[in-house]
Amino acid sequence: MIKKVQPGTKLSGTVTAPPDKSISHRSALFAALSREVSVIENFSEAADPQSTLNCLTLLGVEIDRNGRSVRIRGVGRDGFQTPLKPLDCGNSGTTMRLLSGIVAGAGIECRLTGDASLSSRTMKRIMDPLKQMGCTIDGKDGEYAPIHIGKNQGLRPLRYPLPIPSAQLKSCVLLAGLFSDDPVEVVEPIPSRDHTERLLELDSEAFGTAKVIRSSRSDVIPAQNYEVPGDFSAAAFWMVGGTIFPGAEIRISNTGMNPTRNAAYHILEQMGAEFERTNDRFAQKEPVSDLTVTSSALRAIELDPALVPNCIDELPVLMVAMCFAEGRSVISGASELRHKETDRLAAMHEILTLAGAKTELKEDGIIIYGNPDFEPLAARYPSFHDHRMAMASAILALRSKGSSEIVDAECTAISYPHFWQDLSALQEN
Ligand code: S3P
C-alpha cells in the first residue's frame, strides 16, 4: 500500500499511545512461564506480539484473546510441549531472542523461523551465551534463522558480561537462567530497557558502574495480571511531530515513561521541545504519564553515546527532529541501528537525503546539519519494510509543501496498527 501524506494545516488533538510492544511480548511469555492463569489487558494488537502468542500456542499454551484482552493459562517452566511445526517469529526479533532463552531451558526441541528481514539479522549474540550454558543451538551459516534448538537437559549457570547493550540479549540470558539451579548472572555495563527484570522482580545490584542481574529456577514467576502501558516508542513519533509542526499541540495519553526507555523525551527537552507532563502514575510496575507537546524551536545536540540503548528505537524519529534543529547534531555509538529490521542508519540517511537534508553518514552514526526553516522535498519515501522507517518518513513529510508518498505503508502494523488513522485524526481536529 502506498500512503499519501498531505502536510495539511494542523496537527492537534489527543492520541492514546498504543499498547507497549516490548511489555506485551514479555507479559505473554512470563504468563506462559507461570503456573497460574493471567489476564493481560491492553495487550498490543500489533503483528509482533501476535507472533509471540502464535508461538506460545504451538508450545501448548492455552490463549484466549478478545481484542486487547488476553487470557493465558500458564504451563510452568516444565510444561511446554514440543511444537509440531517451526515457531514462526515473523518480523519480531524480540520473539525470536526471548523465546530462544525459554526453549533452550525447557528441554524441548524446536526450530525458530522468521521473515526475510528477521532471517538476515544475526542471532549469534544469543547463541554464544546459550552455548556457554550447555545449550545445543545452531542456525543457518552458524548465526541466522532458521535456528534449531536441541532437547537440552538442564542448563549450566553463567556469569555473562553483556558485550552489546541489548535488552533482547539480556532478557534471553535471564530467561534461560530461570531454568538453571544455580544463578545465572548478567553484568550490564550500559543500561538498556529493564522490563524483564522489573516485571519478574529479579534480584539485581550495582557492580561498580554496572548492574548485575540474577535469575535461577528458584525465582517464582507470578501471574501477569495487569494493564500494559502505552508504548513510549510509538508516542515518540507524536512527540517529534508535535514539536516540529507549526502551531501543533498534541496530547499523548497513557505513555510509558520507564526511565530506561524514555531518553528521547529528555533529549527532545534538551533540544528545546516543550512538554507538559501530567498524571504521573504506575501501570502495575511501569511508570506512565500523559504528555502534551507543543510546537517548539529546536537546538542541535551531540548525543551522549551512552544514551543510545535508552533511545535505540526512537533514533530514526530523533533524526527527523534534528533536521529542524538549529545547527549540527551528531549521533555516534549507534552501530546497533544497522542490525534492526533494516539497516536503519543507511535507511534514514537515504530518506533524509531524498528529503534534501544535509547529512553525513558515519559507520556508527550520522551528522545532521539542521535548519528550523528546512522544507523537506515532497517525495516517494521507501519504507524498507520497516515500520519505524515508514512512520519517521510520515512525520518528516508533514513539513513538506507538497504531498509525499510512503511505500509499503502497511508495515506500520508491526508495532502501531492505528498509526495512519491517528495521523488523520490529528490533521482533522
Ligand atoms: C527490544 C529491545 C531493543 C529494541 C527492540 C525491542 C526489547 O532491541 O530495538 O525494538 O523488547 O527488548 P535490542 O535489545 O536488540 O537493542
Side-chain angles (χ1 to χ4, degrees):
M1 164 179 101
I2 292 185
K3 190 86 196 167
K4 261 204 162 72
V5 178
Q6 312 264 14
T9 52
K10 44 183 175 169
L11 197 66
S12 62
T14 299
V15 281
T16 302
D20 189 278
K21 182 159 84 76
S22 290
I23 297 172
S24 294
H25 285 296
R26 285 164 172 79
S27 65
L29 294 170
F30 304 164
L33 281 164
S34 97
R35 290 184 167 278
E36 296 167 55
V37 173
S38 301
V39 178
I40 305 155
E41 301 292 353
N42 201 35
F43 191 90
S44 169
E45 289 168 307
D48 272 6
Q50 185 58 48
S51 294
T52 292
L53 295 184
N54 297 346
C55 292
L56 287 173
T57 303
L58 285 173
L59 288 165
V61 180
E62 214 181 281
I63 300 177
D64 293 312
R65 173 161 207 169
N66 185 0
R68 289 189 177 179
S69 178
V70 176
R71 186 174 179 277
I72 299 180
R73 181 177 291 280
V75 293
R77 289 172 173 82
D78 302 311
F80 292 101
Q81 291 166 12
T82 303
L84 298 174
K85 296 200 291 189
L87 302 176
D88 182 358
C89 303
N91 189 249
S92 173
T94 308
T95 306
M96 186 167 278
R97 293 188 174 127
L98 271 59
L99 199 56
S100 293
I102 293 175
V103 171
I108 52 174
E109 184 174 357
C110 75
R111 238 166 111 80
L112 292 98
T113 60
D115 69 5
S117 152
L118 187 54
S119 304
S120 68
R121 296 172 67 184
T122 181
M123 293 296 141
K124 187 174 182 309
R125 56 184 59 185
I126 58 156
M127 292 166 98
D128 287 347
L130 291 177
K131 280 181 189 163
Q132 287 175 45
M133 293 171 83
C135 169
T136 311
I137 180 166
D138 201 4
K140 189 167 143 268
D141 299 332
E143 61 174 321
Y144 298 106
I147 57 180
H148 176 261
I149 298 183
K151 187 168 169 23
N152 298 293
Q153 306 217 303
L155 294 180
R156 289 195 291 269
L158 173 72
R159 182 175 169 88
Y160 192 64
L162 286 174
I164 313 161
S166 157
Q168 292 181 350
L169 172 57
K170 167 174 68 175
S171 301
C172 172
V173 177
L174 289 170
L175 289 173
L178 293 172
F179 296 84
S180 160
D181 291 334
D182 295 309
V184 162
E185 295 186 324
V186 171
V187 183
E188 183 181 49
I190 302 172
S192 62
R193 68 190 71 188
D194 69 358
H195 306 304
T196 296
E197 53 270 44
R198 183 182 281 259
L199 293 173
L200 289 176
E201 293 185 3
L202 296 178
D203 177 38
S204 72
E205 65 183 321
F207 175 66
T209 54
K211 183 170 136 189
V212 184
I213 311 145
R214 295 183 190 90
S215 64
S216 75
R217 198 171 261 284
S218 63
D219 288 308
V220 176
I221 301 163
Q224 307 290 307
N225 294 314
Y226 50 86
E227 199 169 312
V228 174
D231 196 318
F232 178 86
S233 305
F237 293 101
W238 307 126
M239 291 180 207
V240 172
T243 302
I244 63 171
F245 195 85
E249 178 167 333
I250 305 178
R251 182 166 185 270
I252 315 159
S253 60
N254 195 32
T255 305
M257 289 295 274
N258 181 312
T260 60
R261 184 78 187 278
N262 71 356
Y265 169 81
H266 299 292
I267 291 163
L268 284 168
E269 267 195 326
Q270 233 183 307
M271 292 174 74
E274 282 173 32
F275 292 109
E276 194 191 344
R277 179 173 173 176
T278 52
N279 206 5
D280 290 345
R281 58 200 183 277
F282 270 83
Q284 217 235 7
K285 292 167 193 153
E286 291 280 347
V288 174
S289 303
D290 297 334
L291 304 176
T292 302
V293 56
T294 41
S295 95
S296 338
L298 294 180
R299 301 178 285 277
I301 192 168
E302 282 203 20
L303 211 70
D304 175 358
L307 287 179
V308 164
N310 192 316
C311 60
I312 189 76
D313 290 340
E314 294 70 60
L315 284 173
V317 80
L318 282 175
M319 292 179 202
V320 171
M322 287 168 180
C323 291
F324 302 93
E326 181 75 59
R328 176 179 177 268
S329 289
V330 182
I331 295 175
S332 56
S335 50
E336 267 300 296
L337 282 180
R338 295 196 182 272
H339 304 289
K340 297 297 176 187
E341 285 81 332
T342 188
D343 175 342
R344 287 184 176 162
L345 271 179
M348 280 309 294
H349 180 250
E350 195 173 323
I351 288 167
L352 298 179
T353 305
L354 261 175
K358 203 173 153 216
T359 64
E360 279 171 41
L361 181 63
K362 302 282 177 192
E363 202 35 51
D364 70 338
I366 193 164
I367 299 175
I368 296 175
Y369 298 88
N371 166 12
D373 299 321
F374 174 54
E375 201 175 275
L377 299 169
R380 175 177 270 220
Y381 291 103
S383 65
F384 305 88
H385 299 287
D386 181 328
H387 52 130
R388 299 202 199 279
M389 298 301 96
M391 293 187 277
S393 303
I395 299 298
L396 176 68
L398 290 174
R399 277 282 302 258
S400 287
K401 270 258 154 54
S403 87
S404 295
E405 290 175 336
I406 314 294
V407 178
D408 293 328
E410 68 281 356
C411 67
T412 54
I414 288 292
S415 64
Y416 195 162
H418 298 288
F419 176 79
W420 299 112
Q421 286 98 313
D422 284 354
L423 174 57
S424 302
L426 289 173
Q427 291 185 303
E428 283 158 16
N429 271 314

